[in-house]
Amino acid sequence: MDTIASLFSFITWPVSWVIVQFHAVYGAIFGPNTGWAWGLSIVSLVVLIRICLIPLFVKQIKATRAMQTLQPEMKKIQERYKNDKQRQSEEMMKLYKEAGTNPLSSCLPILAQSPFFFALYHVLNGIASGTKIGYINAEQLASARQAHIFGAPLAAKFLDGADTVQKLGASLTDVRVVTAIMIVLMSASQFYTQRQLMTKNVDTTVKTPFMQQQKMLMYVFPIMFAFFGIRFPVGVLVYWLTTNVWTMGQQMYVIRNNPTPGSKAQAAYLERLTKHVTHHGKVSRRSEKAIIKAIVAKGRERNEFERKFINALNKAGLAAQADGTVAKSVATETEVQTEDGATATAGATPRRQQPKRQSKAQRQSGSAKQPGDSPSLEKSDSPEKADQPDQADQPDQPQDSKPAAAQQAPKPGTGARSKAQSGQRKGGSQRPKSPSKK
């Protein structure tokens, strides 16, 4: 570790200068020789480095999403060229080039902060050995050697002997307890960070070897941190624990607000977004508009959670637009006017009603007569009635009177249909017949 740290000795000057500047601020508050002043200086160094690495973190997220999208194609290439490893590698590189991504892009934040980590390790080793390194002078070196965090010196390690710890003005028990707790917290935070990535932010509909590799790393990384943690000084443990906590919080924010499509995190996010949009009737945040815009652009390629989101908006009378906004649907904006002149908004387009089913007798006699309809004009089926003159042409008889022969039932053999055949009830009241027209 000392040999690797010496390779990054050129960064020790900027790293030590930043620590000294932060120590000047915190030393005025807590005292220059306290562990709080030096410990918070290291924490502030981590925060500053991680803020500078935010663009790389965004690039890492995009690269990870792109890799997850390419998993089905990668699996096809592996199955197609499983006996030709060279051709398989060529096709993989071609796929990465077309998609504009690279598997190493997901490791950019870790690789970028590694030089700062080794530079800090080099500075703390110099404090432990009493050697001035970088921007730290003799007075600041003596102050750093006197600083303790919960009884453990900044330069002490878990594997240090009692003599080494005693020279730093501490007891071996305090050093072992403090370093053990920090190593456990460091490993646990790394495990939780990887676990929430695997359980919440992974597309569950795609099963690929990439997911198996991530699951394996979820257990390998904590073991690696525990193995190297017993060789790290307390100051480096503070640095690494702080950066793990920062990564965990940063990832929780990303998973909550920009989840992977098809993951459990996306289902929870779209459920919250549905409640917000249906309550307020609009979308206010730019990130929400970007997600809705992407869902609308997918069309039929939407996953289950995205289809539920679109259906929930439709039920609420809203429609997602192509620009990411939400507007009222056309059905809810239709206004109808009531009989008293008031204007009301129709909640939905009325459904078309199906006609009632007619009985056999009604189908034989023609269309069924609805209540309240005017009597239909019917021509007489009887030849006798057809030969008789119209009542209006007979001056001797009043128009309301009818001949007795017309009121009687038709004689058999005249060709007229019976009342039962015409759909009328036997023994019941007969329908009035309108006078025929000439």
Side-chain angles (χ1 to χ4, degrees):
M1 184 68 69
D2 295 338
T3 304
I4 298 176
S6 61
L7 296 176
F8 297 94
S9 58
F10 63 95
I11 311 180
T12 55
W13 278 94
V15 169
S16 60
W17 182 84
V18 172
I19 293 177
V20 168
Q21 302 306 315
F22 280 123
H23 176 261
V25 176
Y26 294 119
I29 301 174
F30 302 102
N33 299 329
T34 59
W36 286 104
W38 287 100
L40 289 176
S41 300
I42 297 174
V43 172
S44 300
L45 173 67
V46 175
V47 174
L48 179 61
I49 293 173
R50 295 308 300 267
I51 291 175
C52 296
L53 294 178
I54 286 178
L56 291 180
F57 180 76
V58 174
K59 191 173 182 179
Q60 177 194 17
I61 294 175
K62 293 181 179 180
T64 304
R65 297 282 174 83
M67 290 295 297
Q68 291 174 350
T69 306
L70 294 177
Q71 292 309 307
E73 298 296 330
M74 293 171 61
K75 189 175 182 180
K76 292 180 182 179
I77 293 175
Q78 291 175 352
E79 293 177 353
R80 186 180 303 172
Y81 305 105
K82 58 182 178 180
N83 297 326
D84 190 352
K85 298 298 181 182
Q86 183 178 356
R87 182 65 182 278
Q88 185 181 120
S89 301
E90 293 176 356
E91 293 295 328
M92 287 288 188
M93 295 304 296
K94 183 179 179 181
L95 181 64
Y96 295 151
K97 186 176 181 180
E98 292 176 355
T101 185
N102 196 311
L104 296 179
S105 299
S106 59
C107 303
L108 284 177
I110 297 177
L111 296 176
Q113 67 177 326
S114 296
F116 300 97
F117 166 76
F118 288 115
L120 178 64
Y121 181 87
H122 192 47
V123 170
L124 293 175
N125 267 353
I127 293 174
S129 59
T131 305
K132 293 187 298 182
I133 295 178
Y135 196 79
I136 298 177
N137 55 31
E139 182 181 357
Q140 294 164 348
L141 179 62
S143 175
R145 288 177 63 87
Q146 296 176 11
H148 292 68
I149 298 178
F150 300 108
L154 289 176
K157 305 175 186 177
F158 183 86
L159 296 179
D160 286 343
D163 297 338
T164 305
V165 174
Q166 189 175 4
K167 291 179 181 179
L168 296 173
S171 64
L172 184 61
T173 303
D174 293 341
V175 172
R176 294 283 174 87
V177 171
V178 172
T179 53
I181 293 175
M182 295 182 72
I183 290 171
V184 171
L185 292 177
M186 185 175 62
S187 301
S189 60
Q190 177 65 32
F191 176 79
Y192 182 78
T193 300
Q194 193 70 19
R195 179 176 175 80
Q196 72 173 350
L197 180 64
M198 290 298 301
T199 57
K200 296 181 180 181
N201 206 37
V202 173
D203 190 354
T204 56
T205 61
V206 180
K207 304 293 183 182
T208 60
F210 178 77
M211 295 179 60
Q212 299 296 329
Q213 294 175 3
Q214 293 294 321
K215 188 175 181 180
M216 181 182 64
L217 294 177
M218 181 174 64
Y219 297 98
V220 171
F221 275 150
I223 296 175
M224 291 177 58
F225 275 104
F227 176 76
F228 289 109
I230 59 177
R231 292 168 172 81
F232 290 161
V234 174
V236 175
L237 293 178
V238 172
Y239 175 92
W240 208 250
L241 177 60
T242 305
T243 192
N244 279 2
V245 173
W246 177 282
T247 302
M248 182 175 63
Q250 189 173 248
Q251 186 169 271
M252 290 175 65
Y253 176 82
V254 172
I255 290 175
R256 179 178 175 82
N257 296 281
N258 193 14
T260 301
S263 62
K264 295 180 179 179
Q266 189 195 31
Y269 176 82
L270 292 180
E271 184 177 355
R272 295 192 305 269
L273 184 59
T274 302
K275 294 180 180 179
H276 174 77
V277 173
T278 54
H279 180 71
H280 297 282
K282 62 179 182 179
V283 182
S284 55
R285 300 176 60 181
R286 185 180 300 177
S287 59
E288 295 174 350
K289 291 182 180 180
I291 290 178
I292 295 177
K293 182 178 180 180
I295 293 175
V296 173
K298 286 185 177 180
R300 295 185 178 181
E301 300 297 329
R302 302 186 188 110
N303 56 45
E304 178 184 359
F305 309 128
E306 295 166 347
R307 288 193 296 268
K308 288 182 179 179
F309 172 71
I310 297 297
N311 293 335
L313 292 183
N314 293 336
K315 289 181 180 179
L318 301 172
Q321 305 299 316
D323 59 351
T325 58
V326 174
K328 291 184 179 180
S329 59
V330 178
T332 59
E333 294 179 349
T334 304
E335 293 184 349
V336 295
Q337 191 171 9
T338 58
E339 295 179 358
D340 56 356
T343 302
T345 302
T349 304
R351 297 182 61 183
R352 183 178 179 182
Q353 296 182 354
Q354 297 294 335
K356 295 182 179 179
R357 187 174 183 181
Q358 298 179 350
S359 63
K360 183 177 181 180
Q362 290 174 340
R363 290 195 301 270
Q364 291 177 353
S365 62
S367 60
K369 182 177 294 184
Q370 301 296 334
D373 293 343
S374 61
S376 60
L377 300 177
E378 297 179 358
K379 293 183 178 180
S380 174
D381 295 334
S382 174
E384 296 178 1
K385 293 180 182 179
D387 296 337
Q388 294 179 358
D390 192 9
Q391 294 178 359
D393 298 334
Q394 298 179 4
D396 298 339
Q397 295 180 356
Q399 295 181 358
D400 294 336
S401 62
K402 295 182 179 180
Q407 298 178 0
Q408 296 179 358
K411 296 180 180 181
T414 59
R417 291 183 299 177
S418 64
K419 296 180 179 179
Q421 291 176 347
S422 62
Q424 299 180 359
R425 297 180 180 179
K426 293 182 180 180
S429 60
Q430 307 301 323
R431 292 183 300 176
K433 295 183 179 180
S434 60
S436 60
K437 296 182 179 179
K438 289 184 178 181

Coordinates of all heavy atoms in Angstrom, one line a residue, residues 30 56 64 70 81 131 137 149 169 184 200 274 297 299 316 360 387 435:
F30 N -13.2 24.5 17.1 CA -13.1 23.4 18.1 C -11.7 23.3 18.8 O -11.5 22.5 19.7 CB -13.3 22.0 17.4 CG -14.7 21.9 16.8 CD1 -14.8 22.1 15.4 CD2 -15.8 21.6 17.5 CE1 -16.1 22.0 14.8 CE2 -17.1 21.5 16.9 CZ -17.2 21.7 15.5
L56 N -19.2 13.0 -13.3 CA -18.8 11.6 -13.6 C -19.9 10.7 -13.1 O -20.1 9.6 -13.7 CB -17.5 11.3 -13.0 CG -16.2 12.0 -13.6 CD1 -15.0 11.6 -12.9 CD2 -16.1 11.7 -15.1
T64 N -24.7 2.9 -16.9 CA -25.3 1.8 -16.3 C -26.7 1.5 -16.9 O -27.0 0.3 -17.2 CB -25.5 2.0 -14.7 OG1 -24.2 2.3 -14.2 CG2 -26.1 0.7 -14.1
L70 N -28.9 -2.9 -23.0 CA -28.2 -3.8 -23.9 C -28.1 -5.3 -23.5 O -27.6 -6.1 -24.2 CB -26.8 -3.3 -24.2 CG -26.7 -1.9 -24.9 CD1 -25.2 -1.6 -25.0 CD2 -27.3 -2.0 -26.3
Y81 N -22.4 -16.8 -30.4 CA -21.0 -17.1 -30.6 C -20.4 -17.7 -29.4 O -19.3 -17.3 -28.9 CB -20.3 -15.8 -31.0 CG -20.8 -15.0 -32.2 CD1 -21.6 -13.9 -32.0 CD2 -20.6 -15.5 -33.5 CE1 -22.2 -13.2 -33.1 CE2 -21.1 -14.8 -34.6 CZ -21.9 -13.7 -34.4 OH -22.4 -13.1 -35.5
T131 N 6.8 12.5 9.6 CA 7.5 13.0 8.4 C 6.6 14.1 7.7 O 5.4 13.8 7.5 CB 7.8 11.9 7.4 OG1 8.6 10.9 8.0 CG2 8.6 12.5 6.2
N137 N 3.3 21.6 7.6 CA 4.6 22.0 8.2 C 4.8 21.3 9.6 O 3.9 20.4 10.0 CB 4.7 23.5 8.4 CG 3.5 24.0 9.2 OD1 3.0 23.4 10.1 ND2 3.1 25.3 8.9
I149 N -9.7 10.7 17.6 CA -11.1 10.6 17.3 C -11.6 9.4 18.2 O -11.3 8.3 18.0 CB -11.4 10.3 15.9 CG1 -10.9 11.4 15.0 CG2 -12.8 10.0 15.6 CD1 -11.0 11.2 13.5
G169 N 0.2 8.2 21.9 CA -0.5 8.7 23.0 C -1.9 8.1 23.2 O -2.9 8.8 23.5
V184 N -16.7 -2.0 10.3 CA -18.0 -2.6 10.2 C -19.0 -1.7 9.5 O -19.8 -2.1 8.6 CB -18.6 -3.1 11.6 CG1 -20.0 -3.5 11.5 CG2 -17.7 -4.2 12.1
K200 N -34.0 -2.8 -5.9 CA -34.9 -1.7 -6.2 C -34.8 -1.1 -7.6 O -35.7 -0.7 -8.2 CB -34.9 -0.6 -5.1 CG -35.3 -1.0 -3.7 CD -35.2 0.1 -2.8 CE -35.6 -0.3 -1.4 NZ -35.5 0.9 -0.5
T274 N -48.5 9.7 -9.9 CA -49.9 9.6 -10.2 C -50.7 10.4 -9.2 O -51.6 11.1 -9.5 CB -50.4 8.1 -10.3 OG1 -49.6 7.4 -11.3 CG2 -51.8 8.1 -10.7
A297 N -43.2 8.7 -25.4 CA -42.5 8.4 -26.6 C -42.4 6.9 -26.9 O -42.2 6.5 -28.0 CB -41.1 9.0 -26.6
G299 N -44.7 4.6 -26.6 CA -45.8 4.0 -27.3 C -46.2 2.6 -26.8 O -46.4 2.4 -25.6
A316 N -58.6 9.5 -14.5 CA -58.8 10.8 -13.8 C -59.1 12.0 -14.8 O -59.2 13.1 -14.3 CB -57.5 11.2 -13.0
K360 N -91.0 -13.0 -30.5 CA -91.3 -13.6 -31.8 C -92.5 -13.0 -32.4 O -92.6 -12.7 -33.6 CB -91.4 -15.1 -31.6 CG -91.6 -15.8 -32.9 CD -91.7 -17.3 -32.7 CE -91.9 -18.1 -34.0 NZ -91.9 -19.5 -33.8
D387 N -113.1 -3.3 -50.5 CA -114.1 -3.0 -51.4 C -115.0 -2.0 -50.9 O -115.7 -1.3 -51.7 CB -114.9 -4.3 -51.8 CG -114.0 -5.3 -52.5 OD1 -113.0 -4.9 -53.0 OD2 -114.3 -6.5 -52.4
P435 N -108.0 5.5 -39.9 CA -108.7 5.5 -41.2 C -107.7 5.4 -42.3 O -106.7 6.1 -42.2 CB -109.5 6.7 -41.2 CG -108.9 7.6 -40.2 CD -108.4 6.8 -39.2

